[in-house]
Amino acid sequence: MTDEATAELFDDGTGWQPEPYALPRTAAVANLAAALFGRGLSEEAVEALARAVVQPDDMRRKLTDVNKLRVQGGTLHIVETRLWSASVVPHPANPREYGRRSYALGAGSAAAPGLLPEPESAPGDGPELRIRVSHPSVLAQRLEEAKQRLVKENPLDDDIAAEGVLQPLTVIPMTVHHESFAHRPTALLITADGSSRISSVHELLGFLPAVIAYQWGRDARAFRREVNRWLRLAQKQGWDSLSPAEKGKLRALTVPARVVVGFVPDVRAGVRFHTAVRNFIGLTHIRPPKPYGSAVENEAKGDAVLDSLAEPTRSRPARITLQEKRWFAGVITEQEAAEEGFSQHWDVRAAEIVRTLLGGGVGTTRRVNAGIRSLTAKQRPRREDRVDIAVELILRPVRTEKNNALQYTRPRRAVLQRAYRLPEIVDLPADALLEGAIGGGQSLEELRDAALKEAAEGLGASGRLGIAQTELAVKAAYYMVTADTMALQTEGSGAARAEDSRSTVGVLRAMLSQQRGVIQAYEVVRAGRLGSPLHEVDEEGTPVRTAEGGYRELTDALVRHTYNGETFTAAAAGLPAARARWATVTKSVENLGQAVQHMAAVPVYEGGESLVEREGWDVRAIEEVRSGIDKISRKLADWGDLQHAQNNEEEKDVDLDAAGLW
């Protein structure tokens, strides 16, 4: 649909007619800039904000009596005004993208030079954010991607074309510092709330966020020419003579805004400005009206929890260092993590996150809960809430490595959330892990031996695992869940669900209670760290071979049978054998789905769109594959119909017998 056709839908004479704004005098802009100095803003931010205001004299008067907005951790000073939409960009690190965001830890040696860090507070106590990027192209690309995604997922341009932006945007100054680009910092006005609205405005007007940031933001004359182009159009033709599309654009030329011009932190909280901004975003979006979704919410809560753990209070020191915070957040590369002394093994990182967020007793729980409450105002977060947040932090590099494949991530997220509800985790020491700790600790073999000793003493079998058993369980579970073939699944899933409905925690505890299970967990961790497939081992740690001579793959069904008081043998006939073959069928379907997705990911050119989604694929080849799939589908349907018919016949026999008819 063209711009004209879209606008016609709303051109019924009832649309909003904006005031006939005029381009402000440069003297008025300079006077506003002078009034803004001394409020903790950088020179660049002052210039950008003064230029963006539609009525500078009005805002200058309002600065003498600002509105105050209470957020957790402090008070924001707000001035309500109108801004030229050509001066505002969406939040480049918009939290709505959390669920698909890539992180440096997991990006491999390429280390994603385009990854964008979280904005931080600018020096001092002013109401300004600061972000560091390697090059202007990095930010330009992120701004454009953010705009396109927001416009696609939450399109508002039709409504804005009819009525303009109704609810004010919350706008915050942010300076961009470039590491490999010799230029003064670039000042942006970003939306802490309202990125979808400003993105739809830009879509309507044809504005590019990168042009706003790096052309109009640096060239006041170019900026004023762009704004004046639209103002002169309205003045020359008159409102009634404008086309519907032109009216829609003029309605979007300015936006109402609540501009943050000051910040006063709570003395007790010690919260910095960037944390207060995130708290505001969380209370606006993670709570209604439009939740981001559980995975995204848990990611946002994860950053808030890390902030809480890394900040000292009046009575307690910081729980983690700033380096640990960055490692847990996944925002450093593997090389940087190694230089800081962190383990290269992801199971150690997972165990450190679990210990830090879930272990350590009441003191840790209070700190984690404080972080959760900063976003949700939830007074009594549950242990399950803390587990889900820990799992989301653990999965950040995994999702990045797997290119955010939802079919891979979703089941593994669910199983890890269940596995790490193991009650014994709360007993993990607050100071350090037994194995893999910075500066020493036990070796993996020593952890295994300590766990074997605990198992020999009856720990686990008596109802509760020991410290070493628990740590080994946490590390083994990580690889058993994240392996391509999951060796640990949720209750109610997998080939063994008909016979074994134990929870994931129950299976883990049963496994680590036995000598063989401890040896198996040790071998899982060892293989996982090497990137090798997971295989079953016997009591001596020797890999078990199949009848064909290969190594037996470790599966959920095998684990459940082995650590359920039964001996698992590879059946050649009957229901056990059929279940094993069915597991192969379901795995093949999963592989087919992944293969199709991988093909769809092939671009026309590097960095371009999908080749098959733009050009399609050979019809005959597709028909041949679909024909094969249809045959398989009919065969499976026949099996299902047969089983359904037999079940109905059995139920009929039971009813007749109960009625005394046989």
Side-chain angles (χ1 to χ4, degrees), residues 428-447:
L428 289 174
D431 49 356
L433 293 172
L434 300 178
E435 183 264 339
I438 298 177
Q442 296 181 349
S443 65
L444 182 59
E445 289 69 29
E446 289 172 327
L447 177 63

Side-chain angles (χ1 to χ4, degrees), residues 7 160-162 164 204-205 239 243-253:
I160 292 171
L204 190 62
L205 286 162
W239 180 259
S243 70
E246 290 169 341
K247 290 179 180 179
K249 295 177 188 298
L250 281 167
R251 289 176 181 130
L253 188 61

Side-chain angles (χ1 to χ4, degrees), residues 29-39 46 56 59-61 63-64:
V29 174
N31 290 337
L32 175 58
L36 287 169
F37 277 113
R39 290 184 170 271
V46 165
M59 180 172 176
R60 182 162 53 87
R61 287 189 293 270
L63 285 173
T64 62

Side-chain angles (χ1 to χ4, degrees), residues 29 33 93 113 152 182 214 255 292 320 381 387 432 434 467 472 501 557 573 590-591 624 645 658:
V29 174
K152 180 180 179 181
Y214 287 110
V255 291
Y292 288 144
I320 59 175
V387 171
L434 300 178
I467 296 295
L472 189 56
S501 60
E590 181 182 340
N591 290 340
E624 183 177 349

Side-chain angles (χ1 to χ4, degrees), residues 411-412 414-416 418-419 477 480-497 500-508 554-560 583 586-587 590:
R412 286 161 176 82
V415 182
L416 279 179
R418 286 163 172 78
M480 292 170 73
V481 172
T482 57
D484 285 335
T485 300
M486 294 172 67
L488 193 64
Q489 297 185 28
T490 61
E491 58 274 21
S493 65
R497 65 179 180 269
D500 187 355
S501 60
R502 287 177 299 163
S503 68
T504 309
V505 165
V507 175
L508 270 178
L554 195 67
T555 64
D556 180 72
L558 188 151
V559 170
R560 287 177 176 271
T586 57
K587 180 64 177 177
E590 181 182 340

Side-chain angles (χ1 to χ4, degrees), residues 451-467:
L452 285 171
K453 182 179 178 183
E454 290 174 344
E457 293 172 351
L459 293 179
S462 60
R464 200 166 184 85
L465 298 172
I467 296 295

Side-chain angles (χ1 to χ4, degrees), residues 258-323:
R258 299 188 299 178
V259 182
V260 178
V261 296
F263 173 62
V264 179
D266 288 348
V267 176
R268 291 188 176 184
V271 169
R272 300 185 67 197
F273 180 62
H274 73 277
T275 304
V277 170
R278 186 166 58 233
N279 292 349
F280 168 78
I281 295 173
L283 288 172
T284 303
H285 286 289
I286 293 181
R287 303 299 288 174
K290 187 172 182 178
Y292 288 144
S294 59
V296 179
E297 289 179 14
N298 287 329
E299 281 230 65
K301 293 174 189 174
D303 282 330
V305 165
L306 294 180
D307 271 348
S308 178
L309 294 170
E311 293 288 342
T313 66
R314 290 195 303 170
S315 59
R316 289 172 292 174
R319 178 70 174 78
I320 59 175
T321 66
L322 292 178
Q323 291 81 3

